[in-house]
Amino acid sequence: MPKTKEDKLQSILSEFSINTLNGVIVFDGEDNIIFCNNAAAKLYGFDNYSELENLTFRQAITHCYTTKKGLIVNTDDLDTWFKYAEKIRRSDTHRRFEIDLNDGGWHLVSEQIVDDNCIVVISIDITDKKHAELRLAEMTKQLLVLATTDALTNTFNRRHFTEQAEIEQQRCKRENKSYALLMLDLDYFKSINDNYGHACGDKVLVKVAEALKLELRQYDILGRIGGEEFAILLPNTNKSSALSIAQRIRESIENLPIKYKKNTLRVTTSIGVAVDLNADKNLDELFLEADKRLYKAKENGRNLVAIGKA
């Protein structure tokens, strides 16, 4: 007696053990579950395949949504989620995607449309692989931070500051906008290390960096470019604004109490400011101009702002 289509399907499915590590589930053309094994049952928050008998796709997903078991259904509107899911479920004869589960697991899912608009779903547990990828991504992120950030002050290091400053300088040049560069050097910093030790000096640098961040705009660029020297690039900034920001920074540091053991220290900074009004200078020229102004501020008594000509 020749086999019917249903017999052939059952014959194929019989090759898969109910307890295979890969999940296997079959939906008929009306999205009723007509076959499921234990591994697939776990995707929908059940322990045993028998619990999914006579359920529909909607019912299985609703179970995940309400119990927070099985696959994560990330939505505040389940009806809208279903409309989207049902639209794409049979949009192609074969789909492949990843899903994450409420227990932290990940599965690679393959959906294949077969006879009578049935969908055969096979899932492979990729939790270990996915976690390895996430760890690698986090390590890459940490390496990037280490490569671009000054470890003590959590500001950009000299190299990365220069790279980011050049990007902003080129943008200002394209948009014909002025920008400014501030060079800051803490006054008499050597005496802090000599009198209180390098641990105290490190704390001063950290506190100064924190104070600087509070005074800057979101798009300003801050870096530590030497021992006690910082640089700040101010995009879209004219001469009067640059001078105002520099004075505000100088006052903020002057009024910053830094506690170390039983001591309360006060530090000041000298600031050199260079402004490129026409965005026609290169960054090296601006560094040189700001550096000259910084030493001018030092020569004139320290705790001062000196600004170059427009």
Side-chain angles (χ1 to χ4, degrees), residues 97-160:
F97 52 91
E98 294 178 358
I99 59 172
D100 51 336
L101 310 184
N102 282 285
D103 64 2
W106 285 81
H107 280 249
L108 177 64
V109 176
S110 175
E111 289 186 350
Q112 181 76 42
I113 297 179
V114 294
D115 293 341
D116 296 331
N117 216 20
C118 294
I119 300 179
V120 177
V121 181
I122 298 176
S123 69
I124 301 173
D125 191 330
I126 58 169
T127 303
D128 290 343
K129 176 177 177 292
K130 197 68 180 180
H131 286 175
E133 289 177 355
L134 293 173
R135 286 194 299 271
L136 180 60
E138 181 60 28
M139 289 174 62
T140 301
K141 182 180 177 181
Q142 292 175 5
L143 287 172
L144 180 61
V145 170
L146 290 173
T148 60
T149 306
D150 173 60
L152 178 64
T153 61
N154 198 31
T155 62
F156 288 154
N157 58 28
R158 185 185 187 101
R159 178 180 178 181
H160 194 60

Side-chain angles (χ1 to χ4, degrees), residues 166-177:
E166 286 177 345
I167 292 172
E168 277 301 311
Q169 186 263 349
Q170 289 298 318
R171 185 189 63 78
C172 289
K173 187 174 183 178
R174 289 193 304 272
E175 299 176 3
N176 196 28
K177 294 181 178 179

Side-chain angles (χ1 to χ4, degrees), residues 222-284:
L222 169 65
R224 181 186 176 200
I225 60 172
E228 68 270 21
E229 194 170 23
F230 295 87
I232 302 169
L233 191 87
L234 305 173
N236 307 335
T237 304
N238 57 29
K239 185 175 181 179
S240 61
S241 295
L243 182 58
S244 175
I245 293 171
Q247 289 287 13
R248 191 174 70 234
I249 287 173
R250 184 195 62 77
E251 292 172 4
S252 174
I253 294 175
E254 182 182 24
N255 295 321
L256 178 68
I258 301 173
K259 296 186 182 298
Y260 182 73
K261 295 183 178 179
K262 296 181 179 180
N263 304 296
T264 300
L265 287 72
R266 301 278 181 174
V267 296
T268 61
T269 186
S270 299
I271 305 176
V273 183
V275 183
D276 187 358
L277 292 177
N278 300 315
D280 56 1
K281 298 178 182 178
N282 62 46
L283 200 58
D284 288 338

Side-chain angles (χ1 to χ4, degrees), residues 76-93:
D76 294 324
D77 186 344
L78 194 56
D79 287 336
T80 300
W81 189 96
F82 275 127
K83 288 179 182 178
Y84 174 75
E86 289 164 353
K87 179 181 178 181
I88 65 171
R89 269 172 71 74
R90 289 175 171 82
S91 61
D92 203 345
T93 56

Side-chain angles (χ1 to χ4, degrees), residues 282-295:
N282 62 46
L283 200 58
D284 288 338
E285 291 174 325
L286 214 63
F287 263 111
L288 183 61
E289 176 66 21
D291 204 44
K292 287 181 179 178
R293 294 299 139 188
L294 171 60
Y295 281 98

Side-chain angles (χ1 to χ4, degrees), residues 189-207:
F189 184 75
K190 185 177 182 298
S191 65
I192 294 175
N193 283 332
D194 292 343
N195 294 328
Y196 299 99
H198 287 279
C200 179
D202 287 349
K203 184 171 184 179
V204 169
L205 292 171
V206 170
K207 291 299 182 182

